[in-house]
Amino acid sequence: MAISWPLVVSLLLSISSLATSASNSDSVHEAFVQCLLDNSHPSHPISEAIFTPQSRSYATVLQSYVRNLRFNETYTPKPFLILTALYQSHIQAAIICAKKGNIQMKIRSGGHDYDGLSYVATVPFFVLDMFNLRSIDIDMETETVWVQSGAILGELSYRISELSKTHGFPAGVCPTVGVGGHFTGGGYGNMMRKYGLTVDNIVDAYFIDVNGRIHDRKSMGEDLFWAIRGGGAASFGVVLAYKIKLVRVPEIVTVFRVEKTLEDNATDIVDQWQHVASKLPKELFVRLVIDVVNSSTRTGGSTVRVSFISLFLGDSKTLVSIMNENLPLLGLSQSDCIETSWIRSVLFWTNITIDSPTDVLLNRTPSLSYLKRKSDYVKQPIPKTALEGIWEKMIELQPAQMIFNPYGGRMAEIASTATPFPHRAGNLWKIQYLANWNQGGAETAQRYIELTRKLHRYMTPFVSKNPREAFLNYRDIDLGVNHNDRGSYLEGRVYGIKYFKGNFNRLVHIKTKFDPTNFFRNEQSIPTLPH
């Protein structure tokens, strides 16, 4: 076969170019490490917090907080460096040096990042990992807590319970979620109908800006403080810690989990639930988890199961009375209910045996799977005939599931502009779409992701419109990607309006003022105004 010299020359030039590029990258990375060392405070050396692919513990550190195994494949882009900050000065050095070298920085607190935006990128990048910064300082006199971003929700709940049986915090129900991401995106939990979101109970913060300066609420100003409570703080800077206001809980709360299938009249019960769930007393939260299971009676062998899972801030007798008055079709009885403490209700909601030692909440390692998540908001009850169609579609698309989280109560009382989180009055419930699987590989992932997308598409007639709203903490790359170049504002608006509605433009103005060069950026960050 004749040799094509132009092809050979082209290949040699490509190889030379790649080698030059790799060499340039190496020198940039070396300069970055040297800059970190040069900007490290002598009493707080930074070298022990630096992990590169040559470090023995690099893979362990990287993978420790990867919660979605889709982003732990051999082909997943890896950071050229991980900085596991031990002190505030390490964060300041990271910002100064990354700015100097124009290097992409990803900020990770707990790793529960559905689409991996805190530790994956398509450009060379490093990860600022916050997991070492996890102190929790509780002041029961003022009923406040300073909690650092690297703490997990389980640690926070446990530490509160050590000091009080009548205090809690309205955060999420998964104890391994990191405080940093959860708080900044408007985290919610099963007390949101009584006390609102995490962001509705934040009273101060320690925040490091694009110039490496540290601020509290007073020095950062109300605009920036507003933005980092629900607008995704990683677009504006690094939150070192939040000061939160504890809420009161009774010594005895009640939980239940009741499962119904289509054969048990599930459709009628769900229909009744959707008309009353947002109108129930604020102390009562009844979540629906909807999945597909085997059926011994239905043709085709599959049926839809609806799990009604509840937290009531009160006793079981009162709960049964409320439920039988408002949701009689469920047929709740005293025997379905468990009276327990608030901290043990956290175990129940995490599917941990309720009488387990509560220090299990300090465990930072969750069970892992490959997963995809999406979200929607529902403003009108879904017709019963449409529910039947949804069940058939779910049987077709199994194992895709849905979770319905009811709104109303306190969520309907707080103005949509009070924080960047806009999904308040007018919403009956939020949907989380989910698919989990246990086999690696891009082809398998694509199949399950597409099942989730199909269910999401099928639900279009029944959810919010113009925009079709979405929840920031259920990061979903399908909604749009920002390449952070000249079209950044227009690209950012595509997903920004869905996450933030009318609050998006205020976030953009704050971003432009406090980070005009768009240093703090990711694939779904808040853009700056066009120049």
Side-chain angles (χ1 to χ4, degrees):
M1 184 175 70
I3 296 173
S4 170
W5 287 111
L7 178 60
V8 171
V9 171
S10 175
L11 285 170
L12 288 172
L13 286 172
S14 296
I15 293 166
S16 173
S17 174
L18 286 170
T20 302
S21 176
S23 175
N24 289 341
S25 293
D26 287 344
S27 62
V28 168
H29 299 166
E30 288 169 11
F32 178 69
V33 172
Q34 189 58 53
C35 180
L36 290 175
L37 296 171
D38 292 344
N39 282 274
S40 175
H41 196 280
S43 59
H44 297 150
I46 203 169
S47 55
E48 60 196 271
I50 296 173
F51 295 86
T52 68
Q54 289 71 45
S55 307
R56 186 176 296 176
S57 302
Y58 171 86
T60 302
V61 171
L62 176 62
Q63 293 166 14
S64 290
Y65 290 91
V66 172
R67 302 299 185 231
N68 185 350
L69 293 179
R70 280 172 54 207
F71 304 111
N72 196 24
E73 302 275 22
T74 53
Y75 52 78
T76 303
K78 308 292 192 295
F80 72 83
L81 181 145
I82 306 168
L83 182 65
T84 60
L86 296 160
Y87 303 96
Q88 162 189 322
S89 61
H90 293 174
I91 300 171
Q92 294 168 309
I95 294 170
I96 290 164
C97 295
K99 266 182 69 182
K100 184 178 179 181
N102 193 27
I103 296 170
Q104 175 89 61
M105 179 170 79
K106 297 279 184 165
I107 308 163
R108 181 168 77 167
S109 60
H112 275 263
D113 178 355
Y114 286 155
D115 269 350
L117 302 191
S118 62
Y119 55 90
V120 177
T122 56
V123 297
F125 71 105
F126 78 100
V127 171
L128 172 62
D129 213 320
M130 302 288 285
F131 70 84
N132 283 319
L133 296 167
R134 57 207 228 207
S135 70
I136 298 170
D137 184 13
I138 302 174
D139 183 344
M140 291 309 304
E141 275 193 34
T142 60
E143 299 180 299
T144 58
V145 182
W146 274 106
V147 54
Q148 287 189 317
S149 292
I152 58 170
L153 299 185
E155 291 171 329
L156 176 60
S157 299
Y158 179 78
R159 297 304 174 201
I160 294 168
S161 73
E162 282 186 309
L163 298 178
S164 173
K165 293 180 179 178
T166 56
H167 288 85
F169 188 70
V173 300
C174 184
T176 55
V177 167
V179 159
H182 183 70
F183 280 26
T184 69
Y188 76 97
N190 52 21
M191 292 198 291
M192 70 174 178
R193 301 190 66 253
K194 175 69 173 176
Y195 291 116
L197 308 172
T198 55
V199 294
D200 301 322
N201 296 277
I202 293 170
V203 294
D204 207 339
Y206 287 138
F207 174 83
I208 302 176
D209 70 13
V210 71
N211 298 308
R213 293 190 297 250
I214 188 159
H215 299 273
D216 61 7
R217 177 175 183 172
K218 185 177 180 181
S219 69
M220 78 175 78
E222 288 302 302
D223 270 353
L224 196 49
F225 184 63
W226 177 86
I228 64 172
R229 289 177 298 131
S235 292
F236 303 93
V238 181
V239 175
L240 181 61
Y242 279 110
K243 186 180 184 182
I244 57 175
K245 186 78 175 170
L246 295 177
V247 301
R248 297 292 182 94
V249 296
E251 282 201 39
I252 297 296
V253 305
T254 307
V255 294
F256 71 75
R257 181 187 185 104
V258 175
E259 297 177 352
K260 299 290 184 181
T261 64
L262 297 183
E263 295 77 14
D264 303 321
N265 204 27
T267 303
D268 286 339
I269 304 171
V270 171
D271 185 46
Q272 193 170 72
W273 173 91
Q274 66 175 342
H275 286 87
V276 301
S278 65
K279 301 171 186 173
L280 293 169
K282 294 178 183 179
E283 294 78 15
L284 179 54
F285 182 88
V286 185
R287 163 186 275 188
L288 307 190
V289 177
I290 307 166
D291 60 359
V292 177
V293 295
N294 292 329
S295 169
S296 56
T297 58
R298 275 176 64 90
T299 306
S302 294
T303 188
V304 168
R305 173 179 63 183
V306 183
S307 302
F308 295 78
I309 310 169
S310 178
L311 171 70
F312 176 59
L313 300 174
D315 63 87
S316 59
K317 185 179 179 182
T318 306
L319 172 59
V320 171
S321 174
I322 292 169
M323 290 297 292
N324 288 336
E325 181 182 342
N326 292 277
L327 194 58
L329 288 178
L330 186 61
L332 188 73
S333 67
Q334 202 88 21
S335 61
D336 295 317
C337 301
I338 302 171
E339 290 188 342
T340 188
S341 63
W342 173 75
I343 192 64
R344 292 200 175 278
S345 79
V346 176
L347 300 181
F348 176 86
W349 271 77
T350 317
N351 296 319
I352 298 172
T353 307
I354 202 164
D355 56 2
S356 300
T358 54
D359 62 5
V360 70
L361 295 172
L362 301 178
N363 180 8
R364 297 174 72 90
T365 308
S367 57
L368 299 176
S369 67
Y370 301 82
L371 58 91
K372 176 62 184 175
R373 302 288 188 266
K374 298 178 77 66
S375 61
D376 260 323
Y377 286 89
V378 178
K379 298 180 183 295
Q380 299 289 336
I382 299 171
K384 194 161 79 167
T385 53
L387 288 176
E388 292 167 353
I390 292 168
W391 308 152
E392 291 303 318
K393 181 56 68 171
M394 290 188 71
I395 290 171
E396 175 192 329
L397 297 175
Q398 58 181 301
Q401 304 175 36
M402 289 193 287
I403 298 176
F404 291 1
N405 294 289
Y407 271 45
R410 185 73 182 126
M411 291 298 292
E413 296 170 354
I414 299 170
S416 63
T417 55
T419 70
F421 179 95
H423 317 289
R424 305 286 189 168
N427 290 295
L428 299 180
W429 71 87
K430 174 173 61 190
I431 302 176
Q432 178 176 193
Y433 304 86
L434 58 158
N436 294 345
W437 60 99
N438 295 310
Q439 181 184 342
E443 194 174 316
T444 301
Q446 195 58 36
R447 181 161 58 87
Y448 283 97
I449 290 169
E450 192 52 39
L451 289 174
T452 317
R453 288 172 178 162
K454 284 180 178 177
L455 183 57
H456 183 261
R457 283 197 293 271
Y458 184 83
M459 293 295 290
T460 303
F462 315 117
V463 300
S464 61
K465 298 169 181 64
N466 302 316
R468 183 171 185 173
E469 300 170 35
F471 177 39
L472 180 68
N473 268 358
Y474 294 171
R475 290 282 193 181
D476 180 6
I477 214 75
D478 295 347
L479 301 181
V481 174
N482 201 326
H483 296 90
N484 292 296
D485 52 24
R486 285 186 178 182
S488 174
Y489 173 77
L490 292 176
E491 287 183 334
R493 199 175 188 282
V494 172
Y495 55 80
I497 292 295
K498 295 169 185 174
Y499 288 138
F500 305 112
K501 297 177 68 180
N503 294 331
F504 174 70
N505 283 334
R506 183 178 175 190
L507 286 167
V508 170
H509 279 89
I510 295 168
K511 166 74 171 180
T512 304
K513 179 180 177 181
F514 289 98
D515 183 20
T517 63
N518 195 25
F519 169 73
F520 291 107
R521 62 191 184 275
N522 61 52
E523 291 77 3
Q524 284 195 340
S525 54
I526 301 297
T528 55
L529 287 167
H531 299 305

